[in-house]
Amino acid sequence: MASSDRRLLDLIQNTPEVDLLLRSSFGFDIHRKQYGEGLRLASGAPLEVIAGESAGGAYFLCAEQNGRRPVVFASSEGEGGLLADDLADALEIIIGLKWHDCLSFSGGGDVEVMQISAQHLQRTRDKYNPDIDNEAAQVAAALSLSIVPVTDLVIRLQAAASKTEPDYVVTDENGQAFDPLFGEHPEPRHGGWR
C-alpha cells in the first residue's frame, strides 16, 4: 500500500469522529470489508478491499502505478469501475458529491448530464442533512483533503469512470465482468428531478 493511502486509512481508524462521519454521512465504512471476496480486475490483478457501504458495495485499492494506487468501487448490484486515481482523490469525491447517484443518472457518461444531476442531488443532500457541508469540512480538515467545487468533482469523476476499460474492469470469482458505473438515464424515471 502506498504510504499516503496507509496514512489516510490510519488517520480514519485513529480519529473516531472522522470514522463515524465517513460511515454515517458519506457511506465509507472502513469496518465493513466483508464484501468483495473473489473480486479482481479483468487483468487478473488483485483488489484490496479498504471499505464498504451500507448498500453492500465496496471500495478497493488497485496495484500501485506511478506512485499512486487507483480506487475502484464495486456495487452489490454488479456495477463496478474506476472511481479515482488515488485514495485522497476518491475521498474528496465521496465527501463532496453524491457520486454514485451522479453516475447512475449520467445519460451513459455524459458530463453535462452529470453536472445537472449533481446540482439536483446536492439540493437533496442538503435538505436531508443540513449539516453535510460542515461534516465534509471537518473530514477534509482532519485528513488534509481539499473541499473541491461540485462542478470540478463531476469532471474528475467522469474522467475516472471513463478510464475503467480496459484496465479497471471488475470481475467476480467466475470471471464475469461487472457492468459500467455509468447509468443510461439522465434523471430518475418516476417524476424526474423534483
Side-chain angles (χ1 to χ4, degrees):
M1 186 178 301
S3 60
S4 58
D5 301 322
R6 180 80 269 150
R7 184 185 60 77
L8 278 171
L9 291 170
D10 286 347
L11 262 173
I12 294 166
Q13 178 92 37
N14 297 320
T15 315
E17 59 275 12
V18 170
D19 181 11
L20 178 63
L21 283 174
L22 280 169
R23 188 173 348 132
S24 61
S25 294
F26 303 106
F28 186 87
D29 185 350
I30 62 168
H31 307 284
R32 190 185 287 256
K33 296 181 188 174
Q34 65 276 22
Y35 180 68
E37 285 298 310
L39 296 188
R40 54 192 327 102
L41 294 177
S43 66
L47 292 169
E48 178 188 350
V49 65
I50 53 169
E53 45 99 49
S54 60
Y59 297 90
F60 301 87
L61 286 175
C62 301
E64 189 171 325
Q65 294 184 349
N66 304 323
R68 300 171 88 182
R69 293 198 58 193
V71 175
V72 163
F73 178 80
S75 78
S76 58
E77 289 84 44
E79 303 153 334
L82 186 64
L83 178 60
D85 291 329
D86 64 24
L87 183 56
D89 281 358
L91 287 168
E92 287 176 357
I93 288 170
I94 290 164
I95 67 171
L97 183 65
K98 285 191 63 95
W99 69 269
H100 196 269
D101 290 337
C102 188
L103 287 170
S104 294
F105 303 112
S106 68
D110 183 315
V111 73
E112 311 235 340
V113 172
M114 289 175 70
Q115 293 287 4
I116 292 166
S117 294
Q119 297 310 314
H120 288 285
L121 291 162
Q122 290 306 103
R123 284 195 290 277
T124 305
R125 177 173 123 143
D126 293 345
K127 185 168 77 176
Y128 287 108
N129 183 352
D131 208 32
I132 194 90
D133 290 337
N134 291 333
E135 292 173 352
Q138 186 179 339
V139 170
L143 300 180
S144 300
L145 302 172
S146 298
I147 295 292
V148 180
V150 169
T151 52
D152 295 347
L153 290 174
V154 169
I155 290 166
R156 282 170 41 180
L157 177 62
Q158 194 272 349
S162 294
K163 293 190 302 189
T164 294
E165 289 187 35
D167 297 328
Y168 300 102
V169 174
V170 178
T171 62
D172 64 18
E173 58 275 5
N174 301 317
Q176 185 72 36
F178 276 43
D179 292 329
L181 290 171
F182 290 126
E184 293 303 317
H185 300 287
E187 60 185 32
R189 283 181 280 195
H190 303 291
W193 296 117
R194 294 170 195 236

